[in-house]
Amino acid sequence: MRLTTKLLAATAMVSASAASAVELEVTHWWTSGGEAAAVAKFADAFNATDHTWVDGAIAGSGGTARPIIISRILGGDPMGATQLNHGRQAEELIEAGLLLDLTDVAEAEGWKDLVNPSSLLDACTLDGRIYCAPVNIHSWQWMWLSHDAFAKAGVDVPSNWDEFVAARDALEGADIIPLAMGQQGWQQSGAFGVMAVAIAGPDAWLAVNRDQDVDVAAGPDYAKVFQAAVDAREMAANSNVQDWNQATNLVITGQAGGQIMGDWAQGEFSVAESVAGEDYSCLPGLGVNQILDTGGDAFYFPLQDDPEVEAAQKELAALLLSPEVQVDFNLAKGSLPVRGDIDLSAANDCMQKGLEILASGGILPSGDMNQSADTSQQVEDLMAQFWSSDMSAEEAQEKYADIISRAD
């Protein structure tokens, strides 16, 4: 699969060397079973060209991988391409002139007409220039429920957060962990954000995360969120796992009733051959406010002093958004495509729910698009402290409001 004629014309300065085979190291943090199956779709497509995908998987979460990726770029040891989340994570690298400008690729391929919602491409844009290729829409706004667990507990599968909380005693009576939660700040912070959208509501979430409204962060709507977080902490007390995919496996195997986790969890269900609607259910917005935050992943391309490498980088950028690759990757990943013009009739029940919400316009920008990396890290640190202690809802809310008051 090669660049379109339009794109070759748009990159005439390097097209003479575009046919030269290049080995391109690609770094990412997709290492769970479902994630590895998904990223293999990208690798296979790129390897079908004259080039070679050299996989640079970094074990751990994005919080582990991002500092390594950024350190390499700043230290003069850049990879050919790297996954990051679209948002503000790469701002300083762009401002330092260390990332490849992809505007010519985007214009030749018509990304502005294809990428939906447009905020995804906006998040790749700085001063009118495009610096990344968005590849999927990932949303945190999901809860995953084990049918086996609730059947064993003798209660119906919940349809919303309140019903889930009400099922706690039945689940614990059947020796089932009510809520699976990995012991990492980013997971706990993500779950808190889901509860905030569901319980405080989208308007309150935007007031805090977009507008840095301290009064809302310290007010009664968010007080309900922090009380829900206390409930969640108690329900997850026996969830003694570290990684998110280990927590997902507790749900897949019926050892836990549910998990609040982004739609990337679907990749794990897929690898386990679990069937949506039969083996597990999904609740967008905890069944309360059915809305998606439109975060996700994008690929950035560190500048290289080599026209052949640059040509291969631009070829990969175009390939990542091509229709066939978008379908193959997102079906495997459990995410939604960034293109609004492709057929996903093969998507499972949960993906279809997400597509319907997306089509209805029920979307929010992700936290990464609103908060700086520093603010996000402070919230993660607070949540890690909260979940590993008996910190009260009131104390946690006070600390949270202070972070929002200083947000940049």
Side-chain angles (χ1 to χ4, degrees):
M1 192 178 299
R2 304 296 296 168
L3 284 174
T4 63
T5 302
K6 290 187 299 180
L7 185 53
L8 285 174
T11 58
M13 69 182 69
V14 293
S15 63
S17 57
S20 299
V22 169
E23 291 187 352
L24 208 63
E25 181 193 7
V26 184
T27 54
H28 59 87
W29 56 85
W30 289 327
T31 56
S32 74
E35 290 172 325
V39 76
K41 302 297 184 182
F42 283 156
D44 290 346
F46 192 59
N47 289 335
T49 70
D50 294 330
H51 307 303
T52 302
W53 175 293
V54 179
D55 201 71
I58 301 172
S61 66
T64 299
R66 279 190 295 270
I68 296 172
I69 291 166
I70 292 170
S71 178
R72 280 191 54 184
I73 297 171
L74 292 174
D77 181 28
M79 60 294 294
T82 187
Q83 171 204 8
L84 289 170
N85 300 119
H86 33 64
R88 298 181 59 185
Q89 294 173 358
E91 272 184 357
E92 293 182 2
L93 294 174
I94 296 170
E95 290 168 349
L98 295 174
L99 297 180
L100 182 64
D101 185 339
L102 299 175
T103 306
D104 56 349
V105 180
E107 290 177 348
E109 295 294 295
W111 288 358
K112 287 188 177 180
D113 296 324
L114 298 172
V115 174
N116 178 49
S118 59
S119 58
L120 299 177
L121 196 58
D122 292 342
C124 288
T125 305
L126 188 66
D127 297 330
R129 310 300 293 178
I130 296 170
Y131 291 92
C132 69
V135 296
N136 61 7
I137 302 169
H138 264 320
S139 176
W140 256 104
Q141 307 299 316
W142 295 89
M143 186 170 192
W144 311 94
L145 302 168
S146 166
H147 287 196
D148 284 347
F150 287 97
K152 184 178 178 182
V155 293
D156 292 337
V157 177
S159 62
N160 58 51
W161 174 253
D162 288 340
E163 291 178 5
F164 178 76
V165 174
R168 173 185 175 181
D169 289 345
L171 290 166
E172 291 181 336
D175 293 324
I176 294 169
I177 302 164
L179 181 65
M181 176 65 70
Q183 298 177 29
Q184 294 171 332
W186 73 268
Q187 298 180 56
Q188 298 149 353
S189 178
F192 174 79
V194 175
M195 288 186 280
V197 173
I199 296 167
D203 290 341
W205 185 91
L206 283 169
V208 172
N209 289 273
R210 182 189 62 195
D211 304 330
Q212 285 85 52
D213 191 321
V214 180
D215 290 339
V216 176
D221 288 336
Y222 261 70
K224 296 176 184 177
V225 180
F226 279 93
Q227 186 54 57
V230 170
D231 295 338
R233 181 176 65 187
E234 293 173 352
M235 289 189 287
N238 294 316
S239 179
N240 298 317
V241 295
Q242 185 76 5
D243 297 327
W244 71 269
N245 52 307
Q246 294 174 318
T248 304
N249 188 61
L250 293 176
V251 178
I252 291 171
T253 56
Q255 297 176 72
Q259 179 191 22
I260 301 173
M261 183 52 59
D263 50 15
W264 49 89
Q266 286 202 90
E268 302 305 299
F269 285 101
S270 178
V271 168
E273 298 183 348
S274 296
V275 179
E278 296 181 13
D279 301 313
Y280 68 97
S281 291
C282 51
L283 294 181
L286 303 186
V288 181
N289 279 309
Q290 296 196 17
I291 198 164
L292 301 180
D293 58 339
T294 50
D297 302 291
F299 278 83
Y300 293 78
F301 300 82
L303 278 175
Q304 308 275 348
D305 187 20
D306 186 328
E308 293 184 358
V309 172
E310 183 175 321
Q313 289 174 312
K314 291 186 174 183
E315 185 165 357
L316 176 58
L319 187 65
L320 295 173
L321 269 74
S322 63
E324 294 174 4
V325 175
Q326 276 283 295
V327 170
D328 291 345
F329 170 76
N330 284 293
L331 286 178
K333 191 71 165 62
S335 49
L336 302 180
V338 298
R339 293 183 66 122
D341 64 341
I342 58 177
D343 179 13
L344 275 181
S345 56
N348 67 26
D349 288 352
C350 291
M351 288 186 71
Q352 293 293 353
K353 286 183 181 180
L355 289 168
E356 289 172 6
I357 294 171
L358 186 65
S360 72
I363 58 175
L364 288 171
S366 73
D368 289 329
M369 295 179 186
N370 290 283
Q371 295 180 345
S372 69
D374 179 63
T375 298
S376 294
Q377 187 61 56
Q378 289 183 58
V379 174
E380 284 187 19
D381 292 344
L382 171 61
M383 289 299 149
Q385 182 184 5
F386 171 80
W387 279 79
S388 62
S389 69
D390 60 356
M391 184 186 297
S392 69
E394 293 77 14
E395 182 182 356
Q397 184 176 12
E398 182 179 352
K399 290 179 180 290
Y400 179 73
D402 181 60
I403 292 172
I404 297 303
S405 74
R406 295 179 283 106
D408 54 0

